[in-house]
Amino acid sequence: MADTSKTEERRAKVREVRRRLAQEGPPWTRDREADFETVTVPERDCDQLRDLLISEGAQTVVEVGLAYASSALAIGEALITVNPPHPQHVIIDPFQESAWSNACWDLLRSAGLDSIAALMLTPSSIALPQLLAEGLVADAAFVDGSHRFHEVFVDLYFLRKIVRPGGLIVIDDDWAPSVRTAVHYYERNLGWTVIPDTFPSGTGTTVVAGPQARPVTRCKALRLPDPSFEPPFEEFRAF
């Protein structure tokens, strides 16, 4: 009973920080118009991410990109709810100090999640190979880092070796052509499959800034094949 009560107290603390962030915004933002509203993962998407990780019983999660910590708080809530013996949340964000003034990491600390989270202040192209060399095995990953095609592609390359066979990789901003194209390679050539209805169209939407502003569905969840495989050299499906 004591353990259950403690878990619920920790969940309530995280939920309160998440509520304040969604309703009041972060205590600090970059000097860009509507930066929080544009950058952060919407609350409903975060709820769906949390529920997906809980249903999977995730114990170890890798996250690329911290930004305003909305998704990180949801991942932390999921790990506390699953309550494994050794929950682990590895976050990679080389700009948390220089561009974000540690405001987002401070939010995680205020929620008490620094006890299960580790922040790597190096580019994902360096951090992910390091985690692989250290033998980290994750149940899931959330990818919201650089949106340049080659950097998304490299993130996914290493994550497919870190996330266990049959595990999950969730992509933010799948609407972006650079992100969607990188993901499509892994779907076409390496057996990644979309988990339908995880982020239903029209429920987790945002408006993309610029002359082509429009509602978009942001997130996509994919399951890795089990067992994992490497395609033959001579086999390639254009993407």
Side-chain angles (χ1 to χ4, degrees):
M1 181 68 70
D3 287 345
T4 301
S5 176
K6 185 176 180 180
T7 297
E8 189 51 44
E9 288 177 7
R10 295 178 69 194
R11 289 176 62 192
K13 188 174 184 179
V14 175
R15 287 172 177 170
E16 175 58 20
V17 174
R18 288 190 62 205
R19 184 195 65 79
R20 290 201 312 268
L21 179 62
Q23 294 182 0
E24 304 170 12
W28 176 93
T29 63
R30 298 181 300 179
D31 187 19
R32 303 179 185 180
E33 184 178 358
D35 193 54
F36 172 68
E37 294 80 2
T38 303
V39 170
T40 199
V41 181
E43 183 180 18
R44 189 173 297 181
D45 289 84
C46 289
D47 288 344
Q48 292 165 336
L49 173 63
R50 174 203 61 199
D51 294 345
L52 175 63
L53 295 175
I54 291 172
S55 68
E56 291 288 319
Q59 302 184 36
T60 299
V61 179
V62 176
E63 181 172 14
V64 179
L66 180 54
Y68 285 109
S70 296
S71 56
L73 288 164
I75 292 169
E77 183 182 344
L79 289 171
I80 288 173
T81 303
V82 174
N83 196 25
H86 303 289
Q88 192 172 9
H89 182 189
V90 181
I91 305 168
I92 301 166
D93 191 335
F95 304 112
Q96 181 55 203
E97 289 183 351
S98 60
W100 303 92
S101 296
N102 279 326
C104 319
W105 179 247
D106 288 343
L107 278 173
L108 286 183
R109 292 179 62 194
S110 71
L113 291 173
D114 53 320
S115 62
I116 65 172
L119 176 62
M120 301 181 71
L121 297 171
T122 52
S124 56
S125 58
I126 297 172
L128 290 171
Q130 180 181 331
L131 293 173
L132 179 62
E134 291 172 356
L136 179 73
V137 177
D139 300 296
F142 183 72
V143 184
D144 188 19
S146 169
H147 288 14
R148 298 183 184 95
F149 167 81
H150 57 282
E151 291 176 320
V152 179
F153 191 92
V154 169
D155 286 348
L156 300 181
Y157 172 82
F158 284 107
L159 284 170
R160 70 179 284 262
K161 296 175 178 289
I162 292 171
V163 175
R164 61 172 173 78
L168 302 177
I169 293 183
V170 180
I171 310 294
D172 187 33
D173 291 327
D174 180 65
W175 60 266
S178 55
V179 175
R180 179 171 293 178
T181 302
V183 173
H184 198 43
Y185 167 80
Y186 292 89
E187 292 181 78
R188 291 277 293 164
N189 290 275
L190 290 168
W192 295 21
T193 56
V194 176
I195 304 175
D197 302 323
T198 305
F199 298 93
S201 177
T203 61
T205 60
T206 189
V207 175
V208 179
Q212 302 299 319
R214 65 195 187 282
V216 294
T217 299
R218 287 183 59 146
C219 296
K220 175 187 284 187
L222 301 112
R223 190 173 299 284
L224 274 57
D226 185 10
S228 60
F229 66 91
E230 297 291 348
F233 287 154
E234 64 275 10
E235 184 178 305
F236 175 77
R237 293 185 175 91
F239 62 100

mmCIF file of all heavy atoms in Angstrom, residues 3-24:
data_model
loop_
_atom_site.group_PDB
_atom_site.id
_atom_site.type_symbol
_atom_site.label_atom_id
_atom_site.label_comp_id
_atom_site.label_asym_id
_atom_site.label_seq_id
_atom_site.Cartn_x
_atom_site.Cartn_y
_atom_site.Cartn_z
ATOM 1 N N ASP A 3 3.883 1.680 -1.222
ATOM 2 C CA ASP A 3 4.478 1.885 -2.537
ATOM 3 C C ASP A 3 3.463 2.463 -3.509
ATOM 4 O O ASP A 3 3.778 3.352 -4.308
ATOM 5 C CB ASP A 3 5.026 0.560 -3.078
ATOM 6 C CG ASP A 3 6.300 0.131 -2.352
ATOM 7 O OD1 ASP A 3 6.888 0.979 -1.664
ATOM 8 O OD2 ASP A 3 6.688 -1.044 -2.483
ATOM 9 N N THR A 4 2.216 1.967 -3.442
ATOM 10 C CA THR A 4 1.164 2.478 -4.315
ATOM 11 C C THR A 4 0.886 3.940 -4.034
ATOM 12 O O THR A 4 0.721 4.753 -4.954
ATOM 13 C CB THR A 4 -0.122 1.651 -4.127
ATOM 14 O OG1 THR A 4 0.150 0.283 -4.423
ATOM 15 C CG2 THR A 4 -1.219 2.156 -5.039
ATOM 16 N N SER A 5 0.850 4.291 -2.770
ATOM 17 C CA SER A 5 0.606 5.678 -2.384
ATOM 18 C C SER A 5 1.724 6.586 -2.854
ATOM 19 O O SER A 5 1.479 7.688 -3.354
ATOM 20 C CB SER A 5 0.461 5.772 -0.862
ATOM 21 O OG SER A 5 0.306 7.111 -0.460
ATOM 22 N N LYS A 6 2.957 6.128 -2.723
ATOM 23 C CA LYS A 6 4.105 6.928 -3.155
ATOM 24 C C LYS A 6 4.087 7.127 -4.664
ATOM 25 O O LYS A 6 4.373 8.227 -5.162
ATOM 26 C CB LYS A 6 5.403 6.248 -2.716
ATOM 27 C CG LYS A 6 6.654 7.062 -3.026
ATOM 28 C CD LYS A 6 7.894 6.377 -2.487
ATOM 29 C CE LYS A 6 9.141 7.211 -2.794
ATOM 30 N NZ LYS A 6 10.369 6.559 -2.265
ATOM 31 N N THR A 7 3.748 6.065 -5.396
ATOM 32 C CA THR A 7 3.665 6.176 -6.852
ATOM 33 C C THR A 7 2.611 7.181 -7.256
ATOM 34 O O THR A 7 2.826 8.010 -8.157
ATOM 35 C CB THR A 7 3.348 4.803 -7.474
ATOM 36 O OG1 THR A 7 4.412 3.895 -7.186
ATOM 37 C CG2 THR A 7 3.173 4.910 -8.986
ATOM 38 N N GLU A 8 1.457 7.138 -6.609
ATOM 39 C CA GLU A 8 0.379 8.076 -6.944
ATOM 40 C C GLU A 8 0.784 9.510 -6.614
ATOM 41 O O GLU A 8 0.439 10.441 -7.348
ATOM 42 C CB GLU A 8 -0.901 7.696 -6.200
ATOM 43 C CG GLU A 8 -2.125 8.492 -6.649
ATOM 44 C CD GLU A 8 -2.326 8.486 -8.147
ATOM 45 O OE1 GLU A 8 -2.188 7.418 -8.771
ATOM 46 O OE2 GLU A 8 -2.616 9.569 -8.706
ATOM 47 N N GLU A 9 1.512 9.700 -5.530
ATOM 48 C CA GLU A 9 1.996 11.044 -5.187
ATOM 49 C C GLU A 9 2.950 11.567 -6.259
ATOM 50 O O GLU A 9 2.875 12.746 -6.644
ATOM 51 C CB GLU A 9 2.703 11.016 -3.831
ATOM 52 C CG GLU A 9 1.782 10.852 -2.639
ATOM 53 C CD GLU A 9 2.565 10.770 -1.332
ATOM 54 O OE1 GLU A 9 3.799 10.980 -1.358
ATOM 55 O OE2 GLU A 9 1.939 10.503 -0.294
ATOM 56 N N ARG A 10 3.824 10.714 -6.745
ATOM 57 C CA ARG A 10 4.759 11.126 -7.783
ATOM 58 C C ARG A 10 4.026 11.446 -9.079
ATOM 59 O O ARG A 10 4.344 12.425 -9.762
ATOM 60 C CB ARG A 10 5.800 10.029 -8.018
ATOM 61 C CG ARG A 10 6.708 9.753 -6.836
ATOM 62 C CD ARG A 10 7.667 8.618 -7.130
ATOM 63 N NE ARG A 10 8.663 9.009 -8.126
ATOM 64 C CZ ARG A 10 9.444 8.149 -8.766
ATOM 65 N NH1 ARG A 10 9.314 6.840 -8.547
ATOM 66 N NH2 ARG A 10 10.335 8.574 -9.635
ATOM 67 N N ARG A 11 3.040 10.632 -9.424
ATOM 68 C CA ARG A 11 2.239 10.893 -10.626
ATOM 69 C C ARG A 11 1.496 12.210 -10.502
ATOM 70 O O ARG A 11 1.432 12.997 -11.457
ATOM 71 C CB ARG A 11 1.241 9.762 -10.862
ATOM 72 C CG ARG A 11 1.854 8.452 -11.314
ATOM 73 C CD ARG A 11 0.809 7.371 -11.419
ATOM 74 N NE ARG A 11 -0.211 7.683 -12.411
ATOM 75 C CZ ARG A 11 -1.352 7.006 -12.531
ATOM 76 N NH1 ARG A 11 -1.618 5.992 -11.722
ATOM 77 N NH2 ARG A 11 -2.218 7.324 -13.456
ATOM 78 N N ALA A 12 0.931 12.469 -9.335
ATOM 79 C CA ALA A 12 0.179 13.707 -9.126
ATOM 80 C C ALA A 12 1.090 14.924 -9.272
ATOM 81 O O ALA A 12 0.676 15.956 -9.822
ATOM 82 C CB ALA A 12 -0.473 13.700 -7.747
ATOM 83 N N LYS A 13 2.315 14.808 -8.812
ATOM 84 C CA LYS A 13 3.267 15.909 -8.926
ATOM 85 C C LYS A 13 3.590 16.199 -10.384
ATOM 86 O O LYS A 13 3.627 17.361 -10.816
ATOM 87 C CB LYS A 13 4.545 15.560 -8.153
ATOM 88 C CG LYS A 13 5.544 16.699 -8.040
ATOM 89 C CD LYS A 13 6.698 16.299 -7.140
ATOM 90 C CE LYS A 13 7.666 17.459 -6.944
ATOM 91 N NZ LYS A 13 8.786 17.071 -6.034
ATOM 92 N N VAL A 14 3.803 15.141 -11.159
ATOM 93 C CA VAL A 14 4.091 15.317 -12.584
ATOM 94 C C VAL A 14 2.881 15.901 -13.293
ATOM 95 O O VAL A 14 3.008 16.822 -14.126
ATOM 96 C CB VAL A 14 4.489 13.972 -13.232
ATOM 97 C CG1 VAL A 14 4.676 14.132 -14.732
ATOM 98 C CG2 VAL A 14 5.775 13.437 -12.606
ATOM 99 N N ARG A 15 1.706 15.411 -12.984
ATOM 100 C CA ARG A 15 0.493 15.909 -13.637
ATOM 101 C C ARG A 15 0.269 17.384 -13.349
ATOM 102 O O ARG A 15 -0.199 18.128 -14.219
ATOM 103 C CB ARG A 15 -0.717 15.088 -13.176
ATOM 104 C CG ARG A 15 -0.765 13.680 -13.762
ATOM 105 C CD ARG A 15 -1.865 12.875 -13.119
ATOM 106 N NE ARG A 15 -1.978 11.549 -13.725
ATOM 107 C CZ ARG A 15 -2.731 10.580 -13.227
ATOM 108 N NH1 ARG A 15 -3.430 10.799 -12.119
ATOM 109 N NH2 ARG A 15 -2.791 9.404 -13.815
ATOM 110 N N GLU A 16 0.600 17.811 -12.139
ATOM 111 C CA GLU A 16 0.426 19.218 -11.802
ATOM 112 C C GLU A 16 1.378 20.097 -12.601
ATOM 113 O O GLU A 16 0.990 21.160 -13.088
ATOM 114 C CB GLU A 16 0.651 19.429 -10.298
ATOM 115 C CG GLU A 16 0.620 20.872 -9.846
ATOM 116 C CD GLU A 16 -0.697 21.591 -10.170
ATOM 117 O OE1 GLU A 16 -1.726 20.911 -10.395
ATOM 118 O OE2 GLU A 16 -0.677 22.836 -10.208
ATOM 119 N N VAL A 17 2.612 19.661 -12.768
ATOM 120 C CA VAL A 17 3.570 20.419 -13.577
ATOM 121 C C VAL A 17 3.105 20.441 -15.033
ATOM 122 O O VAL A 17 3.167 21.480 -15.703
ATOM 123 C CB VAL A 17 4.989 19.833 -13.456
ATOM 124 C CG1 VAL A 17 5.954 20.536 -14.413
ATOM 125 C CG2 VAL A 17 5.497 19.957 -12.025
ATOM 126 N N ARG A 18 2.613 19.313 -15.520
ATOM 127 C CA ARG A 18 2.093 19.257 -16.888
ATOM 128 C C ARG A 18 0.895 20.192 -17.054
ATOM 129 O O ARG A 18 0.778 20.895 -18.069
ATOM 130 C CB ARG A 18 1.675 17.835 -17.249
ATOM 131 C CG ARG A 18 2.820 16.850 -17.462
ATOM 132 C CD ARG A 18 2.289 15.548 -18.067
ATOM 133 N NE ARG A 18 1.705 15.824 -19.384
ATOM 134 C CZ ARG A 18 0.773 15.054 -19.941
ATOM 135 N NH1 ARG A 18 0.310 13.993 -19.317
ATOM 136 N NH2 ARG A 18 0.308 15.353 -21.137
ATOM 137 N N ARG A 19 -0.001 20.217 -16.078
ATOM 138 C CA ARG A 19 -1.180 21.087 -16.147
ATOM 139 C C ARG A 19 -0.775 22.546 -16.206
ATOM 140 O O ARG A 19 -1.285 23.318 -17.036
ATOM 141 C CB ARG A 19 -2.086 20.834 -14.938
ATOM 142 C CG ARG A 19 -3.394 21.623 -14.968
ATOM 143 C CD ARG A 19 -4.071 21.631 -13.608
ATOM 144 N NE ARG A 19 -3.276 22.351 -12.620
ATOM 145 C CZ ARG A 19 -3.232 23.682 -12.527
ATOM 146 N NH1 ARG A 19 -3.928 24.436 -13.359
ATOM 147 N NH2 ARG A 19 -2.500 24.254 -11.586
ATOM 148 N N ARG A 20 0.135 22.947 -15.333
ATOM 149 C CA ARG A 20 0.573 24.346 -15.313
ATOM 150 C C ARG A 20 1.257 24.729 -16.621
ATOM 151 O O ARG A 20 1.058 25.831 -17.138
ATOM 152 C CB ARG A 20 1.525 24.594 -14.138
ATOM 153 C CG ARG A 20 0.869 24.548 -12.772
ATOM 154 C CD ARG A 20 1.703 25.296 -11.744
ATOM 155 N NE ARG A 20 3.109 24.933 -11.794
ATOM 156 C CZ ARG A 20 3.661 23.978 -11.059
ATOM 157 N NH1 ARG A 20 2.908 23.257 -10.237
ATOM 158 N NH2 ARG A 20 4.948 23.715 -11.154
ATOM 159 N N LEU A 21 2.067 23.815 -17.151
ATOM 160 C CA LEU A 21 2.767 24.099 -18.406
ATOM 161 C C LEU A 21 1.768 24.306 -19.539
ATOM 162 O O LEU A 21 1.901 25.239 -20.345
ATOM 163 C CB LEU A 21 3.725 22.964 -18.743
ATOM 164 C CG LEU A 21 4.522 23.103 -20.041
ATOM 165 C CD1 LEU A 21 5.427 24.330 -19.996
ATOM 166 C CD2 LEU A 21 5.343 21.842 -20.300
ATOM 167 N N ALA A 22 0.752 23.451 -19.607
ATOM 168 C CA ALA A 22 -0.234 23.549 -20.685
ATOM 169 C C ALA A 22 -1.091 24.803 -20.549
ATOM 170 O O ALA A 22 -1.435 25.447 -21.554
ATOM 171 C CB ALA A 22 -1.120 22.302 -20.696
ATOM 172 N N GLN A 23 -1.442 25.184 -19.327
ATOM 173 C CA GLN A 23 -2.352 26.296 -19.121
ATOM 174 C C GLN A 23 -1.649 27.648 -19.055
ATOM 175 O O GLN A 23 -2.174 28.658 -19.529
ATOM 176 C CB GLN A 23 -3.165 26.074 -17.840
ATOM 177 C CG GLN A 23 -4.115 24.883 -17.915
ATOM 178 C CD GLN A 23 -4.933 24.714 -16.651
ATOM 179 O OE1 GLN A 23 -4.814 25.485 -15.691
ATOM 180 N NE2 GLN A 23 -5.790 23.701 -16.634
ATOM 181 N N GLU A 24 -0.465 27.681 -18.446
ATOM 182 C CA GLU A 24 0.218 28.947 -18.204
ATOM 183 C C GLU A 24 1.456 29.139 -19.073
ATOM 184 O O GLU A 24 1.978 30.255 -19.172
ATOM 185 C CB GLU A 24 0.625 29.037 -16.728
ATOM 186 C CG GLU A 24 -0.545 28.869 -15.764
ATOM 187 C CD GLU A 24 -0.085 28.714 -14.323
ATOM 188 O OE1 GLU A 24 1.118 28.966 -14.053
ATOM 189 O OE2 GLU A 24 -0.912 28.327 -13.487
#
